[in-house]
Amino acid sequence: MKWLVLLIGLLVVGCSPRPIKVVALKSINVYKQPVDGTSDLVFNVKAGDVCFIIDKQQNKVYLFKKMKCNDRVGWTPDWADFRFEDE
């Protein structure tokens, strides 16, 4: 039983999403919600800013990524305008 609990714990930790470090290649708008045509702009990321992708959500048209930049969090469909950083 002890080994089963340990194995399940390792699977949960190993399968949980890990933040992905990225750097903005250009100015990118980040929105409050992952909705097409939204105008609820939360903040703007500038070229060179370091952010983390912490979640993703597919809607009818776009794949939105939830970004955390410093203490700001929001969603963007423009995640392809980020360069993935090696850690």
PDB file of all heavy atoms in Angstrom, residues 4-23:
ATOM      1  N   LEU A   4       2.124   1.941  -3.450  1.00  0.00           N
ATOM      2  CA  LEU A   4       1.055   2.424  -4.328  1.00  0.00           C
ATOM      3  C   LEU A   4       0.846   3.930  -4.133  1.00  0.00           C
ATOM      4  O   LEU A   4       0.734   4.674  -5.105  1.00  0.00           O
ATOM      5  CB  LEU A   4      -0.245   1.669  -4.053  1.00  0.00           C
ATOM      6  CG  LEU A   4      -1.439   2.064  -4.919  1.00  0.00           C
ATOM      7  CD1 LEU A   4      -1.138   1.822  -6.387  1.00  0.00           C
ATOM      8  CD2 LEU A   4      -2.671   1.290  -4.494  1.00  0.00           C
ATOM      9  N   VAL A   5       0.822   4.368  -2.886  1.00  0.00           N
ATOM     10  CA  VAL A   5       0.667   5.791  -2.594  1.00  0.00           C
ATOM     11  C   VAL A   5       1.856   6.584  -3.153  1.00  0.00           C
ATOM     12  O   VAL A   5       1.686   7.643  -3.748  1.00  0.00           O
ATOM     13  CB  VAL A   5       0.517   6.024  -1.070  1.00  0.00           C
ATOM     14  CG1 VAL A   5       0.572   7.504  -0.741  1.00  0.00           C
ATOM     15  CG2 VAL A   5      -0.768   5.401  -0.565  1.00  0.00           C
ATOM     16  N   LEU A   6       3.053   6.063  -3.000  1.00  0.00           N
ATOM     17  CA  LEU A   6       4.251   6.717  -3.523  1.00  0.00           C
ATOM     18  C   LEU A   6       4.203   6.796  -5.046  1.00  0.00           C
ATOM     19  O   LEU A   6       4.510   7.841  -5.630  1.00  0.00           O
ATOM     20  CB  LEU A   6       5.501   5.962  -3.063  1.00  0.00           C
ATOM     21  CG  LEU A   6       6.836   6.517  -3.545  1.00  0.00           C
ATOM     22  CD1 LEU A   6       7.037   7.930  -3.034  1.00  0.00           C
ATOM     23  CD2 LEU A   6       7.969   5.628  -3.104  1.00  0.00           C
ATOM     24  N   LEU A   7       3.807   5.728  -5.704  1.00  0.00           N
ATOM     25  CA  LEU A   7       3.717   5.702  -7.167  1.00  0.00           C
ATOM     26  C   LEU A   7       2.684   6.706  -7.670  1.00  0.00           C
ATOM     27  O   LEU A   7       2.949   7.451  -8.615  1.00  0.00           O
ATOM     28  CB  LEU A   7       3.362   4.292  -7.649  1.00  0.00           C
ATOM     29  CG  LEU A   7       3.235   4.114  -9.159  1.00  0.00           C
ATOM     30  CD1 LEU A   7       4.553   4.444  -9.843  1.00  0.00           C
ATOM     31  CD2 LEU A   7       2.810   2.699  -9.483  1.00  0.00           C
ATOM     32  N   ILE A   8       1.527   6.754  -7.035  1.00  0.00           N
ATOM     33  CA  ILE A   8       0.492   7.706  -7.438  1.00  0.00           C
ATOM     34  C   ILE A   8       0.989   9.137  -7.242  1.00  0.00           C
ATOM     35  O   ILE A   8       0.782   9.999  -8.092  1.00  0.00           O
ATOM     36  CB  ILE A   8      -0.817   7.447  -6.669  1.00  0.00           C
ATOM     37  CG1 ILE A   8      -1.433   6.119  -7.141  1.00  0.00           C
ATOM     38  CG2 ILE A   8      -1.808   8.587  -6.862  1.00  0.00           C
ATOM     39  CD1 ILE A   8      -2.602   5.644  -6.325  1.00  0.00           C
ATOM     40  N   GLY A   9       1.663   9.395  -6.146  1.00  0.00           N
ATOM     41  CA  GLY A   9       2.221  10.723  -5.898  1.00  0.00           C
ATOM     42  C   GLY A   9       3.222  11.133  -6.963  1.00  0.00           C
ATOM     43  O   GLY A   9       3.226  12.269  -7.429  1.00  0.00           O
ATOM     44  N   LEU A  10       4.076  10.215  -7.382  1.00  0.00           N
ATOM     45  CA  LEU A  10       5.057  10.517  -8.432  1.00  0.00           C
ATOM     46  C   LEU A  10       4.387  10.790  -9.772  1.00  0.00           C
ATOM     47  O   LEU A  10       4.811  11.660 -10.527  1.00  0.00           O
ATOM     48  CB  LEU A  10       6.058   9.370  -8.559  1.00  0.00           C
ATOM     49  CG  LEU A  10       7.059   9.243  -7.419  1.00  0.00           C
ATOM     50  CD1 LEU A  10       7.885   7.975  -7.600  1.00  0.00           C
ATOM     51  CD2 LEU A  10       7.959  10.458  -7.350  1.00  0.00           C
ATOM     52  N   LEU A  11       3.329  10.038 -10.084  1.00  0.00           N
ATOM     53  CA  LEU A  11       2.607  10.257 -11.333  1.00  0.00           C
ATOM     54  C   LEU A  11       1.931  11.621 -11.346  1.00  0.00           C
ATOM     55  O   LEU A  11       1.944  12.316 -12.357  1.00  0.00           O
ATOM     56  CB  LEU A  11       1.577   9.151 -11.549  1.00  0.00           C
ATOM     57  CG  LEU A  11       2.136   7.788 -11.932  1.00  0.00           C
ATOM     58  CD1 LEU A  11       1.025   6.754 -11.974  1.00  0.00           C
ATOM     59  CD2 LEU A  11       2.850   7.856 -13.273  1.00  0.00           C
ATOM     60  N   VAL A  12       1.342  12.013 -10.237  1.00  0.00           N
ATOM     61  CA  VAL A  12       0.667  13.311 -10.164  1.00  0.00           C
ATOM     62  C   VAL A  12       1.679  14.436 -10.318  1.00  0.00           C
ATOM     63  O   VAL A  12       1.466  15.385 -11.068  1.00  0.00           O
ATOM     64  CB  VAL A  12      -0.107  13.445  -8.834  1.00  0.00           C
ATOM     65  CG1 VAL A  12      -0.578  14.875  -8.626  1.00  0.00           C
ATOM     66  CG2 VAL A  12      -1.284  12.486  -8.812  1.00  0.00           C
ATOM     67  N   VAL A  13       2.808  14.349  -9.640  1.00  0.00           N
ATOM     68  CA  VAL A  13       3.842  15.378  -9.746  1.00  0.00           C
ATOM     69  C   VAL A  13       4.433  15.403 -11.151  1.00  0.00           C
ATOM     70  O   VAL A  13       4.652  16.458 -11.729  1.00  0.00           O
ATOM     71  CB  VAL A  13       4.952  15.142  -8.692  1.00  0.00           C
ATOM     72  CG1 VAL A  13       6.139  16.050  -8.950  1.00  0.00           C
ATOM     73  CG2 VAL A  13       4.397  15.369  -7.297  1.00  0.00           C
ATOM     74  N   GLY A  14       4.673  14.240 -11.739  1.00  0.00           N
ATOM     75  CA  GLY A  14       5.267  14.164 -13.071  1.00  0.00           C
ATOM     76  C   GLY A  14       4.340  14.620 -14.172  1.00  0.00           C
ATOM     77  O   GLY A  14       4.778  15.087 -15.214  1.00  0.00           O
ATOM     78  N   CYS A  15       3.025  14.527 -13.969  1.00  0.00           N
ATOM     79  CA  CYS A  15       2.056  14.891 -15.002  1.00  0.00           C
ATOM     80  C   CYS A  15       1.486  16.290 -14.824  1.00  0.00           C
ATOM     81  O   CYS A  15       0.752  16.749 -15.675  1.00  0.00           O
ATOM     82  CB  CYS A  15       0.906  13.882 -15.003  1.00  0.00           C
ATOM     83  SG  CYS A  15       1.436  12.224 -15.443  1.00  0.00           S
ATOM     84  N   SER A  16       1.789  16.943 -13.734  1.00  0.00           N
ATOM     85  CA  SER A  16       1.240  18.278 -13.524  1.00  0.00           C
ATOM     86  C   SER A  16       1.957  19.267 -14.445  1.00  0.00           C
ATOM     87  O   SER A  16       3.148  19.144 -14.693  1.00  0.00           O
ATOM     88  CB  SER A  16       1.352  18.698 -12.063  1.00  0.00           C
ATOM     89  OG  SER A  16       2.679  18.651 -11.641  1.00  0.00           O
ATOM     90  N   PRO A  17       1.209  20.243 -14.976  1.00  0.00           N
ATOM     91  CA  PRO A  17       1.815  21.199 -15.906  1.00  0.00           C
ATOM     92  C   PRO A  17       2.913  22.025 -15.254  1.00  0.00           C
ATOM     93  O   PRO A  17       2.799  22.421 -14.111  1.00  0.00           O
ATOM     94  CB  PRO A  17       0.639  22.081 -16.327  1.00  0.00           C
ATOM     95  CG  PRO A  17      -0.436  21.831 -15.350  1.00  0.00           C
ATOM     96  CD  PRO A  17      -0.171  20.523 -14.697  1.00  0.00           C
ATOM     97  N   ARG A  18       3.970  22.239 -16.003  1.00  0.00           N
ATOM     98  CA  ARG A  18       5.104  23.029 -15.532  1.00  0.00           C
ATOM     99  C   ARG A  18       5.126  24.347 -16.289  1.00  0.00           C
ATOM    100  O   ARG A  18       4.939  24.354 -17.507  1.00  0.00           O
ATOM    101  CB  ARG A  18       6.375  22.244 -15.837  1.00  0.00           C
ATOM    102  CG  ARG A  18       7.495  22.501 -14.862  1.00  0.00           C
ATOM    103  CD  ARG A  18       8.692  21.662 -15.208  1.00  0.00           C
ATOM    104  NE  ARG A  18       9.572  22.526 -15.978  1.00  0.00           N
ATOM    105  CZ  ARG A  18      10.376  22.122 -16.925  1.00  0.00           C
ATOM    106  NH1 ARG A  18      10.434  20.867 -17.269  1.00  0.00           N
ATOM    107  NH2 ARG A  18      11.143  22.973 -17.558  1.00  0.00           N
ATOM    108  N   PRO A  19       5.327  25.456 -15.617  1.00  0.00           N
ATOM    109  CA  PRO A  19       5.411  26.733 -16.342  1.00  0.00           C
ATOM    110  C   PRO A  19       6.532  26.686 -17.383  1.00  0.00           C
ATOM    111  O   PRO A  19       7.596  26.134 -17.137  1.00  0.00           O
ATOM    112  CB  PRO A  19       5.728  27.751 -15.253  1.00  0.00           C
ATOM    113  CG  PRO A  19       5.299  27.112 -13.977  1.00  0.00           C
ATOM    114  CD  PRO A  19       5.486  25.644 -14.181  1.00  0.00           C
ATOM    115  N   ILE A  20       6.265  27.264 -18.544  1.00  0.00           N
ATOM    116  CA  ILE A  20       7.233  27.295 -19.635  1.00  0.00           C
ATOM    117  C   ILE A  20       7.741  28.722 -19.787  1.00  0.00           C
ATOM    118  O   ILE A  20       6.961  29.643 -20.018  1.00  0.00           O
ATOM    119  CB  ILE A  20       6.586  26.812 -20.944  1.00  0.00           C
ATOM    120  CG1 ILE A  20       6.050  25.393 -20.767  1.00  0.00           C
ATOM    121  CG2 ILE A  20       7.575  26.900 -22.094  1.00  0.00           C
ATOM    122  CD1 ILE A  20       5.147  24.941 -21.887  1.00  0.00           C
ATOM    123  N   LYS A  21       9.036  28.904 -19.659  1.00  0.00           N
ATOM    124  CA  LYS A  21       9.639  30.232 -19.752  1.00  0.00           C
ATOM    125  C   LYS A  21       9.739  30.652 -21.211  1.00  0.00           C
ATOM    126  O   LYS A  21      10.228  29.906 -22.057  1.00  0.00           O
ATOM    127  CB  LYS A  21      11.030  30.215 -19.113  1.00  0.00           C
ATOM    128  CG  LYS A  21      11.687  31.567 -19.042  1.00  0.00           C
ATOM    129  CD  LYS A  21      13.036  31.463 -18.335  1.00  0.00           C
ATOM    130  CE  LYS A  21      13.715  32.800 -18.249  1.00  0.00           C
ATOM    131  NZ  LYS A  21      15.026  32.688 -17.586  1.00  0.00           N
ATOM    132  N   VAL A  22       9.250  31.884 -21.506  1.00  0.00           N
ATOM    133  CA  VAL A  22       9.274  32.425 -22.862  1.00  0.00           C
ATOM    134  C   VAL A  22       9.705  33.887 -22.822  1.00  0.00           C
ATOM    135  O   VAL A  22       9.628  34.548 -21.792  1.00  0.00           O
ATOM    136  CB  VAL A  22       7.886  32.305 -23.542  1.00  0.00           C
ATOM    137  CG1 VAL A  22       7.517  30.857 -23.790  1.00  0.00           C
ATOM    138  CG2 VAL A  22       6.805  32.999 -22.724  1.00  0.00           C
ATOM    139  N   VAL A  23      10.161  34.389 -23.979  1.00  0.00           N
ATOM    140  CA  VAL A  23      10.539  35.802 -24.118  1.00  0.00           C
ATOM    141  C   VAL A  23       9.757  36.373 -25.299  1.00  0.00           C
ATOM    142  O   VAL A  23       9.711  35.774 -26.377  1.00  0.00           O
ATOM    143  CB  VAL A  23      12.064  35.945 -24.369  1.00  0.00           C
ATOM    144  CG1 VAL A  23      12.432  37.394 -24.622  1.00  0.00           C
ATOM    145  CG2 VAL A  23      12.850  35.388 -23.208  1.00  0.00           C
TER     146      VAL A  23
END
